[in-house]
Each structure stands twice: as C-alpha cells, then as structure tokens.
Amino acid sequence: NAGVTQTPKFQVLKTGQSMTLQCAQDMNHEYMSWYRQDPGMGLRLIHYSVGAGITDQGEVPNGYNVSRSTTEDFPLRLLSAAPSQTSVYFCASSYYLGTQETQYFGPGTRLLVL
Amino acid sequence: QQQVKQSPQSLIVQKGGISIINCAYENTAFDYFPWYQQFPGKGPALLIAIRPDVSEKKEGRFTISFNKSAKQFSLHIMDSQPGDSATYFCAAPGSGSARQLTFGSGTQLTVLP
C-alpha cells in the first residue's frame, strides 16, 4: 500500500512551457485534491474531485486543469507555466465518515518556473 | 469563503515546555477541525482532529481545545520534544455545502534541546 504518490519530485520549467504533475492513490478514495503551498500562505486548494469524471475548482484554479478518468489517478496540468506558479504542489486523497474528512497527502512536487 | 487565521507564525520552545498554537475561523457548516503536522520535505500528515461535540480532545501529548462561541480552537503540545519541531497547520471546513478544508497559514515550531 503506497498511499499517495506524486511524480516528479522536482521540475524546472521555462515560462510558457506546459507539464503534467502526476498523482496516484491506491486506497480507493473517492475524493482527491490538489494544493499549492507557498511560504506564509499555508495550503491553498487548486482543484478537487469527488469521484471519477467529477472535478471542481478550488480557491486558486487559474492556470491549472485537471481530469479524473479513474479513481486512482488525478493529474494536474499547467498549460502555460508562469513564474507565479513556482510552488510546492501536494496531492491528497481523502475519505469521509459523515462530515469528518481524513486526508492523506503525497510527498509533493517542487516546481520552479523561470 | 472560509478564512482561517493561525498564530503565531513561528514558535520557539525549550524541551519540556508547552507549545500553544491558535486558530480562528469564520463560518462553517460542518464541525470538524483537524491539525496537520509537516516535516521539511514531506507532505502534511493528520495529527489530531476534533468534532466540537466536545470542548477538548487529548491524544498523548497533543490536546485540541475548542471554543465554539468564539470560533477558536488551539493545539497544545505538552512536554515538547525536539522531534516535535515541524510546521503545524490547522484547518476548518468550508461554509455552505462545500466540505473542502481551508488551511491556516502554518506555525513553524522549533523545540530547543
């Protein structure tokens, strides 16, 4: 049971390039989310999914796309990278017991946009 | 949209001391307040959570205190150890039908040996 895995661990992009951050979970969780973490700003929700085929925007969705074709995978796409997207990106999967959410985070992808 | 204010931004405590981190939220439709612990280079991990049908929850050296009327909750780390040095995040559910968590800005805790 690997939990939540993310690839790559580190990436350098030039402005305008595109890339996909991969996220996979093997816990059969329906809920998955993408966050970005910036110094002094905590974790901010980018996009989330409540199940295969269903996605929605979070707090900071601009510049990012997601899709959820399977329960296991939830990739995050940057269509045209900008320096403002330099950040650490965390994927999480979670389950709910009633209103109580338990989230499991991946190890993160550190992205530098030049 | 939910706002979660966390303080202090950084905290230095001597080994054996008590670490206290505070959070305040605005509105939430659901009562569930978790704390996450993050070590450098790692993803956050759930540390302890409270549902405010109780005002306090204790797990080992970690205690959450909750004040629903003031919309505040806090994390107390008793007998703080150097291994507790990490960044701590509080979180609160969104208002309305959104269940997604909103996180505080984080507290960097350093426990001196």
Side-chain angles (χ1 to χ4, degrees):
Chain A
N1 191 336
V4 180
T5 58
Q6 292 183 239
T7 57
K9 291 184 179 180
F10 181 72
Q11 183 72 46
V12 180
L13 290 178
K14 294 181 179 179
T15 297
Q17 287 185 318
S18 63
M19 80 161 294
T20 299
L21 281 64
Q22 301 292 342
C23 175
Q25 54 97 3
D26 60 1
M27 296 173 283
N28 202 33
H29 291 164
E30 290 194 5
Y31 295 85
M32 297 187 73
S33 308
W34 275 102
Y35 294 87
R36 59 177 290 172
Q37 183 176 29
D38 302 292
M41 301 188 73
L43 294 152
R44 292 184 292 169
L45 183 64
I46 304 171
H47 285 285
Y48 65 96
S49 170
V50 299
I54 306 170
T55 63
D56 205 347
Q57 297 181 350
E59 180 185 356
V60 288
N62 292 338
Y64 308 96
N65 279 351
V66 293
S67 60
R68 184 96 179 271
S69 57
T70 67
T71 299
E72 294 78 20
D73 300 301
F74 190 42
L76 178 71
R77 284 183 289 276
L78 283 70
L79 301 179
S80 179
S84 61
Q85 293 179 305
T86 294
S87 187
V88 181
Y89 291 85
F90 289 100
C91 177
S93 74
S94 52
Y95 69 91
Y96 284 86
L97 287 177
T99 58
Q100 180 174 335
E101 178 185 21
T102 300
Q103 277 190 318
Y104 297 84
F105 283 85
T109 293
R110 187 173 298 272
L111 177 66
L112 174 63
V113 183
L114 302 175
Chain B
Q1 188 169 341
Q2 176 70 276
Q3 297 280 343
V4 179
K5 295 183 178 180
Q6 183 173 345
S7 62
Q9 187 174 9
S10 63
L11 181 62
I12 299 175
V13 175
Q14 292 286 341
K15 178 182 177 181
I18 301 173
S19 304
I20 302 174
I21 305 171
N22 300 299
C23 280
Y25 64 97
E26 292 186 342
N27 293 292
T28 178
F30 303 98
D31 291 337
Y32 170 69
F33 300 89
W35 285 88
Y36 285 80
Q37 181 188 54
Q38 184 182 31
F39 293 104
K42 303 293 185 181
L46 180 64
L47 178 65
I48 185 173
I50 191 170
R51 295 188 64 176
D53 49 355
V54 297
S55 60
E56 184 176 284
K57 181 176 182 179
K58 183 177 181 179
E59 289 184 0
R61 296 183 294 107
F62 300 90
T63 300
I64 299 178
S65 297
F66 186 80
N67 185 332
K68 189 170 184 177
S69 61
K71 297 183 179 179
Q72 296 177 345
F73 57 110
S74 60
L75 176 69
H76 292 65
I77 306 175
M78 311 300 289
D79 187 26
S80 299
Q81 299 296 312
D84 297 330
S85 296
T87 300
Y88 293 82
F89 295 95
C90 62
S95 57
S97 61
R99 295 196 288 183
Q100 286 68 37
L101 295 172
T102 297
F103 287 80
S105 56
T107 296
Q108 186 169 352
L109 172 65
T110 302
V111 182
L112 301 176

